[in-house]
Amino acid sequence: MRNVKQSVNGLSIFSPERRKVLDAMELWDKGIDPIALIRTSLGKPYKEYTFLRRHFMHCGLWVHYMRTLFHQQGVVYAAVPGTVLCTTQLYHALQQEQCLDHAWKDLDTLRKLQGNSTFFIGEPPSSFEGYFNNFCLTIGSSITNWAHNKRDQKLKVSKDNKPLMKFGAVTSTLVANRIVPLSGRQIVSVDVVEDWIQQGSKIEGNGGTEKTQTPPAKNMRMRQPLTHRLAAAVTREIADLEFDYFAIQNQCRELLLRLQTEEEKVTGPDFTKRYMSHGEHNLAFVAGFVFSTLAGKKGIVATTVSSTRLLEIAAETFNKWLSEGNGNAITGTQSAEWE
């Protein structure tokens, strides 16, 4: 659990996702065994953590619950600002235009886990106009907001059609719910466990093509113990549980802030005031203005900037950031044992 704690400790203390993860951890991770504390206060001898040593199923289930909670809260944390969404779109555009010298392995892994439908409407675009149109559709911004003669330069967005980041590890989450209070639990039977496995069999990835894992034939299922098949279903979801959504959000934020600084060197400081009225929640527009200039919507930025200049700046910024080894922080540690 040390890796989970290290990942969320660096977040803002006002982050509700951070608080939910830490609150759940504190039951057994404060260095004090609550059961031992109660027993000794009653004058009864008790060795710390005897409960966890004797009830290894509860201990394992608590660790599993923490991992699924880390996944769920991480997805929420990464999805809300739109930073990961638009950074992925810009990374895709730079790849399409063959501007990158390095691969961003962490973001490539995220795209495989989430599928293209999380980041693109329809097929991933391959033209300047396509990048811009897809950005507007996914961020909920009308193309008319970017018109040359628009008086009000504040950009308006809507969340109605915004793609949602998907929760993974469905079977693992259903199993983890076994640790909730008894009144909130579903009575487990063979049929319930079969349903858990089936719900988790639908996966999306590999370019956004949804597929269903072929369930074993009935006679094969009869030969395989139910617990073995449940364990296999959870094992298939390890990649989802291991991926650090908190870290990928922070990577994208760091890169866009760096790109914003570089963009302002050619657009001027007033550029930021036009679209950052709500602070970092509008950080996605740093990527959006790259697309807008490519599509010829320069009036809202600066008429003296070449239509490809911001793309060139983005390529330079991405390449420098990736050359510093920043794009492999998550996948580079996934093979290690998760403590």
Side-chain angles (χ1 to χ4, degrees):
M1 290 295 97
R2 191 180 304 127
N3 289 356
V4 173
K5 197 168 188 177
Q6 288 175 348
S7 181
V8 299
N9 263 340
L11 306 180
S12 166
I13 60 173
F14 301 107
S15 168
E17 295 81 22
R18 173 186 184 272
R19 187 68 264 157
K20 287 178 182 178
V21 173
L22 291 179
D23 283 349
M25 291 194 70
E26 286 179 354
L27 175 62
W28 291 106
D29 197 54
K30 292 178 71 174
I32 300 174
D33 179 354
I35 296 180
L37 191 63
I38 295 172
R39 296 275 295 184
T40 52
S41 68
L42 296 174
K44 298 181 180 180
Y46 185 82
K47 190 174 182 180
E48 286 191 338
Y49 301 107
T50 298
F51 176 80
L52 292 183
R53 283 195 297 270
R54 290 181 178 177
H55 297 81
F56 52 89
M57 290 185 67
H58 177 89
C59 181
L61 185 58
W62 178 76
V63 172
H64 181 71
Y65 169 75
M66 282 305 312
R67 290 176 176 173
T68 57
L69 182 66
F70 177 72
H71 166 74
Q72 291 172 323
Q73 295 304 315
V75 170
V76 174
Y77 180 77
V80 173
T83 308
V84 176
L85 170 70
C86 297
T87 305
T88 304
Q89 294 174 357
L90 183 53
Y91 177 67
H92 166 77
L94 292 169
Q95 284 182 316
Q96 285 291 117
E97 302 304 319
Q98 300 182 347
C99 297
L100 295 179
D101 301 326
H102 308 276
W104 189 347
K105 294 183 180 179
D106 292 343
L107 200 60
D108 289 334
T109 301
L110 176 67
R111 282 188 64 176
K112 291 178 181 177
L113 292 173
Q114 285 287 320
N116 283 332
S117 61
T118 297
F119 309 103
F120 308 103
I121 304 298
E123 291 298 317
S126 57
S127 67
F128 290 173
E129 194 70 28
Y131 304 143
F132 177 62
N133 290 341
N134 180 79
F135 169 79
C136 288
L137 288 170
T138 54
I139 205 69
S141 174
S142 171
I143 294 177
T144 59
N145 283 334
W146 306 77
H148 287 275
N149 57 355
K150 186 174 183 292
R151 291 184 180 180
D152 182 8
Q153 292 185 332
K154 180 182 282 189
L155 295 174
K156 300 179 177 63
V157 298
S158 170
K159 298 180 181 179
D160 292 344
N161 297 321
K162 191 174 181 179
L164 298 176
M165 199 167 284
K166 306 174 188 70
F167 294 104
V170 175
T171 299
S172 297
T173 302
L174 292 168
V175 172
N177 287 338
R178 293 297 300 155
I179 205 169
V180 302
L182 186 61
S183 60
R185 287 195 225 155
Q186 184 180 19
I187 297 175
V188 175
S189 65
V190 171
D191 290 338
V192 168
V193 176
E194 288 282 6
D195 182 59
W196 290 353
I197 296 172
Q198 288 302 313
Q199 287 190 53
S201 67
K202 289 187 176 182
I203 60 175
E204 188 167 353
N206 301 322
T209 303
E210 188 170 309
K211 61 182 181 179
T212 303
Q213 296 174 350
T214 304
K218 185 175 180 179
N219 59 345
M220 181 64 71
R221 292 203 301 267
M222 294 298 290
R223 285 188 241 135
Q224 292 181 322
L226 183 64
T227 52
H228 289 193
R229 289 193 290 111
L230 179 60
V234 171
T235 300
R236 286 193 296 268
E237 297 175 344
I238 287 177
D240 276 317
L241 293 177
E242 279 190 326
F243 191 81
D244 190 342
Y245 283 84
F246 291 99
I248 197 66
Q249 159 66 17
N250 292 339
Q251 284 184 20
C252 293
R253 173 185 173 275
E254 176 190 340
L255 183 53
L256 288 185
L257 285 173
R258 189 181 295 193
L259 177 57
Q260 176 193 330
T261 301
E262 295 302 317
E263 286 182 353
E264 288 180 354
K265 290 178 181 179
V266 298
T267 61
D270 289 340
F271 171 61
T272 299
K273 297 177 183 178
R274 295 176 179 176
Y275 63 91
M276 296 291 282
S277 57
H278 297 290
E280 292 185 12
H281 278 284
N282 279 353
L283 199 56
F285 287 126
V286 173
F289 274 95
V290 176
F291 301 136
S292 73
T293 55
L294 286 175
K297 312 295 183 182
K298 294 190 297 181
I300 200 169
V301 187
T303 56
T304 58
V305 179
S306 165
S307 63
T308 60
R309 183 62 189 127
L310 292 187
L311 182 69
E312 294 166 1
I313 292 174
E316 293 165 4
T317 305
F318 270 63
N319 280 323
K320 187 175 187 302
W321 187 81
L322 290 171
S323 69
E324 296 168 358
N326 292 308
N328 193 31
I330 302 171
T331 54
T333 59
Q334 280 188 350
S335 58
E337 181 179 358
W338 194 352
E339 297 174 292

